[in-house]
Amino acid sequence: METNYQLKRADFIFKNENDWKEVLKKNINRPPHELINELISSELKGRGGAGFPTGLKWKLSAEVKSDIKYVICNADEGEPGTFKDREILSLVPFKVLTAMAICGHVVGAKEGYIYLRGEYFFLKPELNKAISEFEHYCKEINLDFTIRIFMGSGAYICGEETALFESMEGKRGEPRNKPPYPAISGYMNKPTVINNVETLAHAYTIFTYGAKRFYDLGVQYSRGTKLFSVSGDTPKPGIYELELGMSLTDFVNDFGDGDTKAVQVGGASGFLVPRKRFAETTIGYEGKLIGISLPTGGSMMLFNSSRSMFNVLDNYLEFFREESCGQCTPCRVGCQQLLKGIKAVKTGEKNAQHLDKLLRLAETMQFTAKCGLGQSVANSFSSIVENFREEMIY
Amino acid sequence: MNTSATLVKNLADQYGRSRNNLLPILQGVVEQEKYLSESSMIEIARELDIPASEVYGTATFYSFLEHKKMGRYIIRICKTITCSMKGKNQVLLAIQDMLKIDVGETTPDGTFSLLQTNCLGFCHKAPTMLINNDVYTDLTPEKVRGILSQYLTKNKEGGQDGN
């Protein structure tokens, strides 16, 4: 295997967590504003994919006056091609629990929940054991904070934060209108901080080593490291922690099988990048001045030249059609019609120009769907149809 | 009281009777009875004092809350992109061939049900499946036959671990 020195590997997330008691004790004795400033100056952004600045999220919730507030860890990891959160919860659960409790101290919340997807039920016994040990220590140091696991039951949409609240409230997992945002009105209409598992693990790193250590990694607008879930046509599938800002060329040189035709960045709701665009594409958040910068929850799926992009898109659309909550028409009907449409073009029932109509439909969904699920279908749909049009037709 | 009603009452005692506890109660019934019958949903509505239509609405939203009687072991094979690319269909054929059931069906003796599901979060070890709550990865037709044989043996010996 060729060694590539362009990709900067890192090892923070899975580094041992033996120091969690010290980290917790040290940080809950610091004033909340200091912790918020530390998080803001680290420029940590949400690692679930959306990339909202974490420090700002905590700050907004801290500023709201309410007797009851919640901290929720979003472990409803359902994006195709993403499997990092499971690994964090199995290997370093105390980092996540500690960051939740520090968040509770910052915003004034006494109750924390982990919303764990139903598919990960097997993690529950070990995680509960960790929680008991954690809560025991909290009592020892007079910290009033509890954590409960709430199990999901097989619904991708519940990873959307407001759908997750609905689910926890015993309802169908249908997203709410925003605003109000969770920081103001979330679970049970109380101020709620909801963070992805990995975001909390990074917060632990920041509260352990300081903001500068984190900020010095990555590139402008995209600071720190990120876990990448690598799968598909690669000789080394798995989970890798890399600095943000890498170019896709470097990524493919390291992880490709020598015949990579395209990479899906960000799962089924992300973008497909064809080979000719690898060089100009980097992985990070918006704000880059040259080329394209793609944010991601960390899902990197590689496809080699043996793969049919029609089959890939067909698989994604079937996924979305099943997982759409059905609440808003653009998403419910749009997903069905996109799937029906590409099949009709493939079988010759409709001519190739029908694809242009479908692209307009995808664009309409992007503007009119109620939540991120419906809005993001256009990402993969348009990037696949535009770059591999001939594979959709023949 | 029939067994369903007793179960629902016990679960409501355990979790509480507010609307927030609906999902854990539904999950508890599915864990025990392998599906949500109409009568158990009506019983839940009575215990929580909410309309049965609300219980039904929530219950039908989630793919892991089944509405028809399932087998003792529910096989859920992942059909999302990476598993599909890495030979899910061959594994599925091996299961169908061995158990003589199609996707969505249950073996006549009520041992296995076969379903397809969306991404299980093991794309680096594709193809994968769940049997109840246990994960099996890096599947091949040969490997899956071995796994099912073990379950068949376990079932004959009458082990009590439905989960």
Side-chain angles (χ1 to χ4, degrees), chain A residues 337-353:
Chain A
Q337 290 303 321
L338 290 178
L339 181 59
K340 210 170 137 187
I342 62 159
K343 284 184 197 289
V345 171
K346 192 73 179 175
T347 55
E349 198 184 307
K350 295 271 185 191
N351 62 25
Q353 280 71 46

Side-chain angles (χ1 to χ4, degrees), chain A residues 67-89:
Chain A
D67 291 343
I68 300 174
K69 294 184 185 181
Y70 298 104
V71 176
I72 296 176
C73 166
N74 187 345
D76 194 49
E77 179 173 54
E79 187 64 49
T82 313
F83 37 88
K84 66 193 172 68
D85 294 340
R86 168 177 50 74
E87 197 87 339
I88 295 173
L89 290 172

Side-chain angles (χ1 to χ4, degrees), chain A residues 185-363:
Chain A
S185 175
Y187 175 53
M188 301 302 285
N189 299 322
K190 299 291 181 199
T192 305
V193 175
I194 174 160
N195 285 134
N196 171 262
V197 176
E198 186 190 342
T199 309
L200 290 162
H202 284 295
Y204 182 94
T205 303
I206 292 162
F207 293 134
T208 308
Y209 301 109
K212 191 174 180 306
R213 183 81 180 269
F214 185 86
Y215 182 87
D216 287 346
L217 303 167
V219 295
Q220 196 184 5
Y221 305 118
S222 300
R223 297 294 175 183
T225 64
K226 169 94 195 73
L227 288 184
F228 289 92
S229 309
V230 182
S231 68
D233 295 315
T234 166
K236 42 182 179 181
I239 296 157
Y240 298 87
E241 185 172 357
L242 304 170
E243 281 190 44
L244 280 172
M246 66 191 174
S247 97
L248 209 46
T249 306
D250 293 334
F251 176 82
V252 170
N253 283 342
D254 199 331
F255 289 96
D257 61 358
D259 185 25
T260 307
K261 139 164 139 178
V263 179
Q264 180 80 22
V265 179
S269 68
F271 295 84
L272 184 97
V273 185
R275 188 187 289 150
K276 62 179 186 228
R277 289 252 148 92
F278 288 169
E280 62 190 273
T281 307
T282 56
I283 304 304
Y285 301 97
E286 277 177 38
K288 192 168 168 282
L289 298 173
I290 308 157
I292 311 158
S293 179
L294 291 180
T296 169
S299 166
M300 304 290 277
M301 298 189 281
L302 295 94
F303 302 109
N304 68 21
S305 63
S306 74
R307 304 297 173 188
S308 150
M309 286 301 132
F310 173 84
N311 289 350
V312 171
L313 183 57
D314 180 72
N315 190 288
Y316 291 169
L317 289 174
E318 195 173 315
F319 174 84
F320 284 126
R321 188 196 55 177
E322 284 178 13
E323 298 294 348
S324 169
C325 80
Q327 185 186 193
C328 77
T329 312
C331 179
R332 182 185 66 246
V333 180
C335 291
Q336 293 169 4
Q337 290 303 321
L338 290 178
L339 181 59
K340 210 170 137 187
I342 62 159
K343 284 184 197 289
V345 171
K346 192 73 179 175
T347 55
E349 198 184 307
K350 295 271 185 191
N351 62 25
Q353 280 71 46
H354 190 61
L355 288 173
D356 300 317
K357 270 193 194 166
L358 297 176
L359 283 168
R360 285 203 296 278
L361 172 59
E363 197 188 353

